């Protein structure tokens, strides 16, 4: 089997535009066609793949399968079993026309493992998560590691932090690290006049603005930024993203209630999902990353670097593989609103230092986190595994 002729069936459980899905949107054009993407639900990701000219099909998973959460216990998992075998059978029938199944998420790993066994095809798992109890139930971690050890020929991890967590959880399958790549061209400079027009359209007042670009979820730490803002009365914030899953809706409501209190009222803008993230990043003075649990990679950190904005990130996980503290950005302890406030204030009070950090970060990101570097890394990993 030669890499040049490798026909890959990419499998993803979600049609929401999360980090793993954006990664696949950038990776798939290097292999599809002749490769193809299969999703287990229909949604915005499906439309994005179609618009990019990537062959894509939807094999809708039963509700019991789709509703198994990261924290799932035995009852939820057991209820999903009949639907799991049903959808795996459908994927297996399609997979017989391909050389391998490439699972792009943890749920895709579960379906893909069964489908690979039924179809007699090898399986690759792209690991986008840190497999710890900060993110998953013990049952989910054990299931993922067991399936990877039993069925996957290769694990491609998005960071060394993800790879180490997999191995520490008992992962034995060969695992390589390929960092995510970001399309540099999306971050072409926006004219100052356009940025001013954006400020007016958003209703921003004069004064500094920080931006946090992530779905609204407790572990993403938007609440930490709000508490830091309470110490910075002249600073406004853009929260770009929305709750993706049902269990995150309550957290999103709590954030809005906190932002409505007197000390923050009128300074926090909830923008939901946006297609103009590169421009919004150039609009803000500082990009912040506030995850309170280790980030598997930290795509938004790289995007902030490519937008030529100084970035403050939480120390831990993939973030420490991206930023060098004091050289290409600032790192702060997770969950520490005081430290975050101090770091924001430092950059706002010292614009020349902020500019130097941003320029150094931009040059670094262009070299280390390009789409071509990511695609080449995946090509080489597959070539070694299947040559």
């Amino acid at each position: 089997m030669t890499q040049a002729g490798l026909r890959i069936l990419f499998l993803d459980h979600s049609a929401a535009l999360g980090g793993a899905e954006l990664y696949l949107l950038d990776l798939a054009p290097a292999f599809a066609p002749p490769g193809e993407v299969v999703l287990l639900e229909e949604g915005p990701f499906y439309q994005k793949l179609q618009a990019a000219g990537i062959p894509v099909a939807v094999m809708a998973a039963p509700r019991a399968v789709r509703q198994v959460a990261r924290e799932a216990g035995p009852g939820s998992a057991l209820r999903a079993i009949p639907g799991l075998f049903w959808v795996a059978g459908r994927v297996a029938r399609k997979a017989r026309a391909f050389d391998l199944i490439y699972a792009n998420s943890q749920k895709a790993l579960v379906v893909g493992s069964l489908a690979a066994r039924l179809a007699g095809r090898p399986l690759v798992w792209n690991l986008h998560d840190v497999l710890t109890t900060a993110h998953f139930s013990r049952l989910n971690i054990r299931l993922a590691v067991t399936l990877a050890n039993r069925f996957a020929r290769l694990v491609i991890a998005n960071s060394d932090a993800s790879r180490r967590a997999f191995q520490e959880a008992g992962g034995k399958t060969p695992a390589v690290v390929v960092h995510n790549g970001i399309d540099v061209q999306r971050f072409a400079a926006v004219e100052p006049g356009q940025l001013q027009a954006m400020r007016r359209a958003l209703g921003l007042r004069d004064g500094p603005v920080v931006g946090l670009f992530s779905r609204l979820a407790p572990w993403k730490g938007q609440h930490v930024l709000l508490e830091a803002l309470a110490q910075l009365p002249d600073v406004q914030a853009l929260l770009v993203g929305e709750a993706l899953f049902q269990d995150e809706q309550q957290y999103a409501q709590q954030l809005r209630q906190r932002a409505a209190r007197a000390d923050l009222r009128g300074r926090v803008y909830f923008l939901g999902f946006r297609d103009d993230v590169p421009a919004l990043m150039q609009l803000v003075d500082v990009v912040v990353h506030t995850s309170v649990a280790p980030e598997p990679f930290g795509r938004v950190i790289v995007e902030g670097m490519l937008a030529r904005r100084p970035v403050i990130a939480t120390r831990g996980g993939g973030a420490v593989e991206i930023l060098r503290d004091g050289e290409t950005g600032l790192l702060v302890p997770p969950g520490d609103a005081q430290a975050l406030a101090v770091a924001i204030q430092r950059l706002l009070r010292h614009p020349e230092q902020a500019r130097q950090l941003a320029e150094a970060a931009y040059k670094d990101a262009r070299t280390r986190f390009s789409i071509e570097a990511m695609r080449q890394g995946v090509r080489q990993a597959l070539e070694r595994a299947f040559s």
Side-chain angles (χ1 to χ4, degrees):
M1 185 185 301
T2 64
Q3 191 277 331
L6 205 59
R7 295 166 300 171
I8 302 175
L9 184 65
F10 294 98
L11 181 63
D12 198 303
H13 79 281
S14 178
L17 289 173
E21 288 68 43
L22 292 173
Y23 164 88
L24 183 54
L25 189 63
D26 289 331
L27 176 66
F31 301 92
E36 188 172 334
V37 176
V38 167
L39 304 180
L40 302 186
E41 64 181 18
E42 189 167 350
F45 185 36
Y46 176 78
Q47 281 82 39
K48 288 282 189 182
L49 289 165
Q50 280 193 318
I54 299 168
V56 56
V58 175
M59 296 184 180
R63 186 176 182 182
V65 175
R66 289 184 282 110
Q67 288 188 335
V68 176
R70 292 179 171 215
E71 308 82 13
S76 177
L78 287 172
R79 287 191 295 273
I81 288 176
L84 176 61
F85 275 90
W86 179 80
V87 74
R90 293 190 67 198
V91 174
R93 287 192 290 273
K94 189 173 188 67
R96 293 189 181 100
F98 296 84
D99 297 315
L100 68 91
I101 298 174
Y102 190 109
N104 192 52
S105 65
Q106 190 166 334
K107 284 186 181 179
L109 170 67
V110 178
V111 174
S113 295
L114 292 175
R117 180 64 178 267
L118 292 171
R121 294 293 183 268
L123 177 71
V124 172
W125 181 28
N126 203 306
L127 174 59
H128 295 279
D129 299 298
V130 176
L131 295 178
T132 67
T133 53
H135 297 283
F136 298 95
S137 69
R138 295 185 186 279
L139 175 63
N140 270 345
I141 294 172
R142 185 164 62 249
L143 176 63
V145 172
T146 300
L147 291 175
N149 286 344
R150 177 67 180 83
F151 296 105
R153 185 179 298 189
L154 174 69
V155 173
I156 298 177
N158 64 347
S159 69
D160 194 52
S162 296
R163 180 189 62 80
R164 288 197 313 270
F166 169 69
Q167 293 173 335
E168 289 168 2
K172 305 299 182 185
T173 299
V176 300
V177 175
V178 179
H179 286 132
N180 288 7
I182 311 295
D183 184 0
V184 176
Q185 300 305 316
R186 292 182 61 232
F187 292 84
V190 178
E191 292 295 328
Q194 291 178 270
L195 294 178
Q196 287 299 324
M198 288 181 67
R199 287 186 69 105
R200 290 192 297 270
L202 292 171
L204 292 172
R205 303 192 302 266
D206 291 337
V209 182
V210 300
L212 200 166
F213 301 79
S214 171
R215 80 174 197 262
L216 305 184
W219 78 274
K220 290 293 188 179
Q222 283 88 357
H223 61 282
V224 181
L225 175 59
L226 297 190
E227 294 312 316
L229 285 180
Q231 306 174 45
L232 302 168
D234 297 326
V235 180
Q236 302 166 89
L238 305 182
L239 299 189
V240 182
E242 192 50 86
L244 283 181
F245 306 109
Q246 187 174 3
D247 59 347
E248 297 168 353
Q249 298 294 334
Q250 184 178 0
Y251 177 71
Q253 182 60 29
Q254 291 170 350
L255 291 175
R256 289 181 168 88
Q257 291 172 350
R258 176 64 185 93
R261 287 165 52 181
D263 57 343
L264 295 180
R265 190 177 302 134
R267 294 198 287 131
V268 181
Y269 299 78
F270 292 86
L271 302 188
F273 291 115
R274 300 277 296 224
D275 289 328
D276 56 348
V277 165
L280 288 170
M281 282 189 168
Q282 294 179 56
L283 175 66
V284 305
D285 298 285
V286 180
V287 171
V288 296
H289 160 278
T290 57
S291 296
V292 297
E295 187 80 45
F297 177 66
R299 182 184 181 95
V300 70
I301 299 173
V302 178
E303 291 178 335
M305 296 163 76
L306 291 174
R308 282 188 161 101
R309 286 298 176 265
V311 179
I312 302 169
T314 293
R315 188 187 302 276
V320 300
E321 300 172 39
I322 299 172
L323 285 182
R324 297 190 300 275
D325 190 23
E327 297 180 29
T328 57
L330 299 180
L331 295 172
V332 297
D336 192 333
Q338 173 65 28
L340 179 60
V342 169
I344 293 171
Q345 193 171 58
R346 171 182 168 184
L347 293 178
L348 294 178
R349 287 183 174 178
H350 302 282
E352 180 57 25
Q353 180 189 39
R355 187 194 66 78
Q356 291 174 357
L357 285 175
E359 284 302 313
Y362 173 73
K363 294 175 182 177
D364 191 45
R366 281 183 61 95
T367 302
R368 296 173 58 212
F369 304 112
S370 70
I371 286 183
E372 187 48 47
M374 175 191 71
R375 290 175 177 173
Q376 185 62 22
V378 172
R379 286 192 193 99
Q380 290 174 350
L382 295 176
E383 187 173 38
R384 287 193 295 269
F386 293 96
S387 60

